[in-house]
Amino acid sequence: MVQLQRLFGADAPRVYAKLEFLNPAGSVKDRAARYVIERGVEDGVLKPDTHVVESTSGNFGVALAMMASIYHLRLTLVVDPNITASNLTILKSFGATIDMVDVPAPQGGYLEARIDRVRQLLTADPSSVWINQYANALIPRAHHLTAAEILADLPGPVDYLVLAVSTTGTLVGIAERLKQAHPRLRVVAVDAVGSVVFGTPAGPRRLPGIGASRVPELLDMRLIDQVIHVTDDEAIAGCRDLVAREAIFAGGSSGSVIAAIQKLVPAVAPLSSIVTLLPDRGDRYLDLVYADRAAHRDSGPPR
């Protein structure tokens, strides 16, 4: 947990960021993957050589691949062409089987097409187990532990929690615990322009790790007080501000929360405290975020 003192000056609210990109496989998704796999092993749902299946083109896939390798589980990841070259290389290095879906769903985006492919794999192999990160109740529970770490590091009041959303499992789990400790906490969800999580129109997005083309089953609107939408270009600018001012080299969803906090700060009292997570690291976003052409690149297909 670090205070972002250079990016948000002395007269601004205190902004604390949890550096989740320091996890072993490089993102906050390590926590959910570890918790789900270890609970499955303990409960006997996952046995050696169980065939685990999941739809993902991002960090959850990397984290699952790491855990499947540790526990000797067969893993098939259904991905799409938006996956970064670095993530694809990492998944293959861990030994995951890659199933590429290259035709978007009729309603647009690849997510529903990936889920359709997962269902086909489950039908073909009834012994397969689908993790289903959009609906798996174990994932918010994993982040009750993340929230406990935040509370231990920040014994004082927490006024705002600002988190990027995709499956919403991280936000739901942390918000549940923090609101128990700080009932007046305001939870701000950060979504991508073009994502449909909060009912806004679908559109093209090129940065992985934030937003979705379907509403996750885990979403609990009762926990959310405000939603801020961020464009790809704003997220890229947030990443570049973070590395230039704080020397923190983080990924696209981290840039999104920085951009959202920059929008939020003018309306927040100076002595307030804001907590966020920086979910993943910047080396997987070199072409998308940090290359000179990244800020001017046309948006790709919807996710």
Side-chain angles (χ1 to χ4, degrees), residues 151 156-162 174-188 222-226 264 268-269 272-275:
L151 292 170
V158 177
D159 300 302
Y160 292 84
L161 175 68
V162 182
I174 294 176
E176 284 175 342
R177 276 296 171 89
L178 288 190
K179 283 207 169 192
Q180 289 174 2
H182 303 290
R184 299 179 65 181
L185 175 77
R186 287 186 60 82
V187 175
V188 181
R222 296 171 299 178
L223 295 168
I224 297 171
D225 300 290
Q226 183 178 350
L264 181 67
V268 173
S272 299
S273 60
I274 300 172
V275 171

Side-chain angles (χ1 to χ4, degrees), residues 206-207 230-239 259 294-297 299:
R206 69 180 183 272
L207 293 183
V230 174
T231 67
D232 285 336
D233 287 344
E234 288 171 333
I236 290 170
C239 287
H296 307 288
R297 182 173 163 184
S299 294

Side-chain angles (χ1 to χ4, degrees), residues 80-205:
D80 64 55
N82 285 318
I83 188 170
T84 64
S86 58
N87 275 347
L88 191 58
T89 299
I90 294 167
L91 295 178
K92 291 178 179 178
S93 297
F94 276 125
T97 298
I98 305 300
D99 193 319
M100 178 73 73
V101 171
D102 54 13
V103 178
Q107 61 269 47
Y110 288 105
L111 180 55
E112 291 299 333
R114 295 201 318 256
I115 291 174
D116 286 344
R117 179 58 182 153
V118 166
R119 293 192 176 105
Q120 292 171 9
L121 293 172
L122 296 174
T123 300
D125 181 359
S127 65
S128 296
V129 174
W130 181 19
I131 298 298
N132 194 359
Q133 61 176 317
Y134 285 84
N136 193 321
L138 290 174
I139 292 177
R141 284 186 225 164
H143 291 293
H144 289 172
L145 304 176
T146 314
E149 292 179 8
I150 293 171
L151 292 170
D153 285 342
L154 295 177
V158 177
D159 300 302
Y160 292 84
L161 175 68
V162 182
L163 295 182
V165 298
S166 53
T167 68
T168 72
T170 304
L171 180 143
V172 168
I174 294 176
E176 284 175 342
R177 276 296 171 89
L178 288 190
K179 283 207 169 192
Q180 289 174 2
H182 303 290
R184 299 179 65 181
L185 175 77
R186 287 186 60 82
V187 175
V188 181
V190 182
D191 197 13
V193 171
S195 165
V196 306
V197 172
F198 297 104
T200 49
R205 295 174 288 118

